[in-house]
Every structure is written in structure tokens, then in C-alpha cells.
Amino acid sequence: DIQMTQSPPSLSASVGDRVTITCRASQSIFSYLNWYQQKPGRAPKLLIFAASSLQSGVPSRFSGAGSGTDFTLTISSLQPEDFATYYCQQSYSSFRTFGGGTKVDIK
Amino acid sequence: QVQLQESGPGLLKPSGTLSLTCAVSGGSISSNNWWSWVRQPPGKGLEWIGEMYPSGSANYNPSLKSRVTISLDKSKNQFSLNLSSVTAADTAVYYCARDSQMVRGIINYYYMDVWGKGTTVTVSS
């Protein structure tokens, strides 16, 4: 199976900060990488698919980059509603796997 | 737009079988999508359980494969999850999701773009 490793596991940031979360795959997954946002008590929400494509309705301050084994999710200017946990997920393998998550909280 | 709603017992005894249903509204379960189950133990991350395509093809998490069955009921526009021989480790919030595809050239990208709200399942004697 393909292991997905996110870093950092958590971070503290302020409104307006630029935030970058990293996801590394244990083997090349080309661009088969998705990002989700999850708030407490809520279902995950798709933000980015195919490594860099913004899901409809998602603010443009979210962006994704990378290919192969190394990927990033960037929030250009953190907003109050962005405090949440973020997960990467690979869809290269028919055995889908998620990263362990990155919790973004208020500094 | 497509909406998903999970239903099923919230409490199970160890060694029992977990059975959940996901009702699909606003779209057809026969469309070209995979239909998935994902779970999240309390305070932990997301774990993919498995998925099924309308053709009947299925993929399962190897760690759960011996205990899991996913099925589709096209007449009711819903899909189901059965997980046998449950233990306390199966306590989690269970989500159903649509695993959509986008074709870009010769590449099919898959992503879970529609999710149910989740249902909590507790395994306890």
C-alpha cells in the first residue's frame, strides 16, 4: 500500500498568515492527489483534486502543487473559517489512503 | 445536487455485524462513479474502507477485506456496508462518499466530492 505522510501534524497560525502543508507519498503517485478540509463534527470537504485543481466553490486562497511524491497545500491568507484539519489522499492506487492530517489552529 | 445520507444502528455488541446504508438523492447510483465508505475512529484520522462501481467491481482496504462487503441496490438508489466480527476497534464515525472521476486526456482522476454527514457506530458490550 501507498503511505501518505503529512507534515507538520499541527501548526498554529494567525489570521492573514500564509500557511503551507506538505504531503509525501511512499512512491510516485503522479498527480493523483487530493486535499480535504475537515472541521470538528463535520464530514470532510474536498478542496483540491488532481494535485492542483480547485474544487468548484472553494476560495482561490487555497492552492495545491506538486507531482510524483511531494505535494503542498497552501493557504495564501488564512481566514477565521480555515481553522480545521487538512488531509491529503492518493487515488493512484485502487487502495485509497489518507495522510494522518494537519491540524491548523489559532496562534 | 447529489446528497448522501447514512443510516444504521448506532450501537453494536462485539462479534456482531455492522450494517449501514447510504441513500443517494439528486442523482443516480448507476452513474459513472465509485461509491465509497470511509471511517474515522474517535480523535483519529480518516481510514478508507472500500468502494464499489455500478458494474459490481469492488475494491477493499486489505486490512479489512476479510470482514467487509459493499453492495449496491440500484432499485433503491442506495449502497450498503457490512462489516462482520466487529470489535471495539471498529468504533468510529462512518461516512459514505461519492468517488467521482474526471478524465483529462487519457488519465482518469478520482476524488471524493460528495460526502454524507456521517453516522456514529459504537461497539460495546
Side-chain angles (χ1 to χ4, degrees):
Chain A
D1 55 325
I2 299 174
Q3 307 293 329
M4 306 300 294
T5 303
Q6 285 183 237
S7 60
S10 65
L11 66 89
S12 296
S14 301
V15 172
D17 284 353
R18 181 182 182 88
V19 170
T20 297
I21 298 168
T22 297
C23 178
R24 175 164 288 175
S26 60
Q27 67 179 74
S28 176
I29 58 170
F30 301 89
S31 295
Y32 293 89
L33 191 283
N34 306 316
W35 289 99
Y36 301 86
Q37 176 194 66
Q38 187 181 34
K39 296 181 180 179
R42 304 288 296 273
K45 172 187 173 184
L46 177 69
L47 298 176
I48 301 283
F49 63 94
S52 61
S53 296
L54 193 67
Q55 172 68 348
S56 176
V58 174
S60 59
R61 63 181 180 271
F62 291 93
S63 63
S67 66
T69 60
D70 295 315
F71 302 86
T72 58
L73 172 70
T74 298
I75 309 172
S76 60
S77 178
L78 198 65
Q79 298 302 300
E81 60 268 31
D82 301 337
F83 292 96
T85 300
Y86 294 84
Y87 295 93
C88 62
Q89 175 244 332
Q90 63 80 18
S91 59
Y92 174 76
S93 165
S94 57
F95 170 22
R96 314 290 198 223
T97 46
F98 289 90
T102 295
K103 184 177 181 180
V104 177
D105 61 22
I106 302 171
K107 182 183 284 185
Chain B
Q1 71 275 22
V2 174
Q3 294 184 312
L4 308 180
Q5 178 65 60
E6 306 90 347
S7 61
L11 180 63
L12 281 176
K13 293 189 185 302
S15 78
T17 296
L18 181 161
S19 295
L20 298 176
T21 296
C22 181
V24 180
S25 59
S28 173
I29 201 168
S30 297
S31 58
N32 292 336
N33 301 293
W34 290 83
W35 301 96
S36 303
W37 289 95
V38 175
R39 70 181 184 179
Q40 185 170 36
K44 296 189 177 180
L46 302 169
E47 180 181 32
W48 180 80
I49 299 171
E51 63 186 6
M52 177 162 274
Y53 199 71
S55 65
S57 296
N59 298 310
Y60 297 118
N61 185 322
S63 69
L64 300 171
K65 190 172 184 177
S66 64
R67 299 193 291 130
V68 172
T69 302
I70 296 174
S71 59
L72 267 62
D73 187 334
K74 295 178 182 179
S75 67
K76 294 183 179 179
N77 214 38
Q78 63 186 32
F79 62 108
S80 299
L81 169 70
N82 276 7
L83 179 67
S84 63
S85 304
V86 297
T87 69
D90 295 310
T91 293
V93 176
Y94 285 76
Y95 296 100
C96 57
R98 182 180 76 175
D99 201 355
S100 291
Q101 66 174 322
M102 179 195 70
V103 179
R104 190 177 281 169
I106 60 170
I107 300 174
N108 283 8
Y109 291 101
Y110 294 93
Y111 45 90
M112 294 179 225
D113 64 339
V114 181
W115 293 70
K117 293 181 178 180
T119 188
T120 299
V121 175
T122 302
V123 180
S124 174
S125 55

